[in-house]
């Protein structure tokens, strides 16, 4: 089946938007191998240019016309897009990429109402969404990944989808297709040990020397102070939430707490070493650290070191 003549790509996740466009191109070229791809940014496109791009050629060659950042389209161009989408020539596919926000929402809504095929490319903000993305990337590359390796990979690489996709593809190639926690730590050891999460894990465990060592490495390698502070705050918030929820099945607590089961299970083991008063003190310390690294302190690196020492001391009390 040929692809729909109009495709609306909604969302701000750039990697997913690019893949959605590429999928359309692949579909078109299955029927028209020499089909041309033309890309335009709405803010740089005029109604005349759009009409020219969508006009049929003498020999009726296939063509994919992509209008990116359609939320930036002016009134005249938005009207032209709707007019052209209502009557596209045979063999020509119009792809309209819109951020999905409130700006120029009427354009996207009208295209949907008129039957345009829709591909959602929303930002993946929750951990489980990124975990699903990693699993899908592994399957896409023809591999398998152990459940506990997913969280380790995200902590080591970060939440940026391009980096996760590249790391996942490389791991599948390097491991022969089977990825476990040991493989992730082996191939991403240096990076995993210099993230803010590594500092936070050692603080929560009460490893004062290890936390300071990880912090120094992170600072030497240029990890922003704000990211380290955020990781510390996230770790302490997790302790507070899991501690207040009491004992229970991590799988059942995961939903109400808004975190994956593995993270609940890990925090349940950690929070046993923290008294409630220590957690409360740690929450206040991370709140102050957040202000310090965002301008309240003249020396963010010193503020981080001081906070690490105070947090480890709080745990020990």
């Amino acid at each position: 089946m040929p692809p729909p003549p109009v495709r609306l790509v909604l969302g701000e996740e750039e990697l997913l938007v690019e893949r959605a466009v590429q999928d359309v191109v692949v579909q078109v070229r299955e029927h028209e191998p020499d089909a041309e791809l033309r890309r335009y940014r709405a803010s740089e496109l005029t109604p005349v240019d759009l009409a020219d791009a969508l006009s049929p050629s003498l020999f009726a060659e296939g063509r994919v016309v992509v209008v990116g950042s359609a939320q930036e389209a002016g009134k005249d161009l938005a009207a032209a897009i709707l007019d052209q989408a209502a009557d596209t020539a045979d063999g020509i596919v119009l792809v309209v990429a819109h951020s999905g926000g409130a700006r120029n929402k009427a354009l996207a809504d009208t295209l949907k109402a008129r039957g345009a095929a829709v591909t959602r490319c929303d930002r993946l903000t929750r951990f489980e969404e990124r975990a699903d993305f990693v699993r899908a990337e592994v399957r896409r590359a023809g591999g398998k990944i152990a459940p506990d390796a997913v969280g380790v990979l995200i902590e080591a690489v970060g939440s940026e989808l391009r980096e996760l996709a590249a790391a996942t593809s490389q791991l599948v190639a390097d491991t022969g297709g089977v990825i476990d926690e040991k493989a992730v730590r082996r191939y991403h050891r240096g990076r995993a040990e210099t993230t803010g999460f590594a500092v936070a894990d050692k603080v929560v465990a009460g490893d004062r020397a290890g936390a300071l060592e990880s912090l120094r490495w992170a600072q030497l390698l240029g990890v922003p102070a704000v990211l380290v502070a955020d990781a510390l705050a996230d770790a302490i918030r997790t302790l507070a939430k899991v501690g207040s929820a009491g004992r229970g099945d991590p799988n059942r607590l995961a939903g109400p707490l808004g975190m994956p089961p593995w993270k609940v299970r890990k925090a349940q083991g950690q929070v046993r070493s923290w008294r409630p008063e220590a957690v409360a003190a740690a929450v206040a310390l991370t709140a102050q650290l957040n202000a310090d690294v965002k301008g309240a302190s003249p020396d963010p690196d010193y503020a981080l070191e001081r906070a690490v020492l105070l947090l480890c001391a709080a745990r020990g009390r």
Side-chain angles (χ1 to χ4, degrees):
M1 292 290 292
V6 181
R7 168 76 60 175
L8 175 62
V9 179
L10 276 177
E12 296 180 303
E13 196 65 72
E14 292 184 3
L15 176 64
L16 301 183
V17 170
E18 289 180 13
R19 286 185 175 180
V21 171
Q22 189 57 40
D23 287 345
V24 173
V25 175
V26 169
Q27 283 183 298
V28 171
R29 286 179 177 168
E30 286 178 356
H31 300 274
E32 295 281 349
D34 297 325
E36 181 184 5
L37 171 62
R38 297 187 185 180
R39 290 178 175 269
Y40 303 91
R41 189 180 181 96
S43 60
E44 302 169 356
L45 186 65
T46 67
V48 174
D49 293 333
L50 179 66
D52 179 64
L54 292 170
S55 61
S57 66
L58 182 62
F59 299 103
E61 295 100 337
R63 189 184 314 151
V64 178
V65 177
V66 181
V67 179
S69 300
Q71 68 276 5
E72 299 175 0
K75 183 178 179 180
D76 291 342
L77 179 61
I81 291 173
L82 293 174
D83 288 344
Q84 295 288 345
D87 187 23
T88 57
D90 290 342
I92 295 179
V93 175
L94 172 63
V95 179
V96 180
H98 188 287
S99 66
R103 185 178 178 187
N104 238 335
K105 186 174 182 292
L107 171 60
D109 289 345
T110 304
L111 287 172
K112 283 192 289 185
R114 292 182 180 179
V118 179
T119 300
R120 300 291 315 193
C121 299
D122 299 319
R123 288 197 183 280
L124 307 187
T125 56
R126 296 173 53 247
F127 175 88
E128 272 305 323
E129 292 173 334
R130 291 192 287 271
D132 288 342
F133 173 80
V134 168
R135 297 185 191 103
E137 286 297 295
V138 173
R139 289 194 297 270
R140 181 187 181 110
K144 296 181 179 180
I145 186 167
D148 56 355
V150 175
V152 176
L153 179 60
I154 294 173
E155 285 196 12
V157 176
S159 59
E160 212 286 319
L161 293 198
R162 290 183 191 278
E163 295 186 9
L164 280 173
T168 301
S169 176
Q170 190 63 51
L171 277 169
V172 171
D174 290 342
T175 61
V178 180
I179 304 171
D180 57 16
E181 182 179 345
K182 289 183 179 179
V184 176
R185 294 193 183 280
R186 182 167 67 250
Y187 287 102
H188 292 274
R189 181 183 304 160
R191 184 163 183 178
E193 290 175 354
T194 58
T195 63
F197 293 107
V199 180
D201 279 346
K202 289 180 170 59
V203 165
V204 169
D207 183 358
R208 182 174 178 272
L212 287 173
E213 181 183 3
S214 292
L215 176 60
R216 298 279 169 75
W217 275 112
Q219 291 168 337
L220 284 171
L221 294 175
V223 178
V226 172
L227 296 185
V228 180
D230 285 348
L232 288 168
D234 178 71
I236 299 302
R237 281 196 304 270
T238 298
L239 286 183
K241 291 171 70 175
V242 172
S244 64
R247 296 180 180 179
D249 182 359
N251 295 309
R252 292 185 177 180
L253 292 174
L257 292 177
M259 60 184 72
W262 68 266
K263 195 170 184 179
V264 176
R265 190 175 297 109
K266 179 180 177 181
Q268 284 178 330
Q270 294 170 329
V271 78
R272 295 191 188 102
S273 302
W274 286 75
R275 294 175 61 83
E277 314 89 82
V279 175
V283 170
L285 285 169
T286 54
Q288 180 59 50
L289 176 61
N290 180 64
D292 288 341
V293 298
K294 293 180 179 177
S297 171
D299 189 343
D301 287 339
Y302 170 75
L304 277 172
E305 185 172 329
R306 178 177 179 275
V308 165
L309 293 172
L310 292 174
L311 287 168
C312 288
R315 180 189 182 277
R317 285 201 295 270

